[in-house]
Amino acid sequence: SPANSGQLAAVGKLGVDTGAGAGFDIYSKLRGGRAVDAAGYATLSVGGRATLYQISLVTGRADKVGAFPRASQVVDLALPLNQ
C-alpha cells in the first residue's frame, strides 16, 4: 500500500476571498480501521463574518455549509473522531 510522504501539493483555489484566522481539519470516515472517505472543513472569515465551508480535497473548492452568529470570532476548527 502507498505510504504518506507528508508532501503538500496545491490542488486549486477556494473560490472565496477570506481574511486571516482560518481553521482547517479533515474528517475521515473509517471502516475496519481504514479511511474509506475524507472531507475537509474550514472556518473562514468572509466579509468579516465567520463562516463554515466544506473544502474539496480534490479541487480545493470551498462550498458554504453555514455561518456562525454575527458577533462570533472563530479562528480554528477541530472535528471529533468517530462521528
Side-chain angles (χ1 to χ4, degrees), residues 20-43:
F24 180 78
D25 203 358
I26 296 174
Y27 177 74
S28 298
K29 292 180 184 178
L30 303 177
R31 187 177 303 132
R34 293 180 179 248
V36 294
D37 194 12
Y41 291 90
T43 56

Side-chain angles (χ1 to χ4, degrees), residues 1-80:
S1 69
N4 181 345
S5 66
Q7 296 180 355
L8 298 176
V11 296
K13 296 182 179 188
L14 290 173
V16 295
D17 289 329
T18 181
F24 180 78
D25 203 358
I26 296 174
Y27 177 74
S28 298
K29 292 180 184 178
L30 303 177
R31 187 177 303 132
R34 293 180 179 248
V36 294
D37 194 12
Y41 291 90
T43 56
L44 305 174
S45 175
V46 177
R49 185 158 187 201
T51 307
L52 179 65
Y53 286 85
Q54 184 171 6
I55 309 297
S56 168
L57 301 177
V58 175
T59 67
R61 178 181 159 166
D63 290 310
K64 183 178 176 180
V65 175
F68 295 94
R70 191 160 292 280
S72 299
Q73 181 182 8
V74 181
V75 295
D76 208 351
L77 175 70
L79 300 170

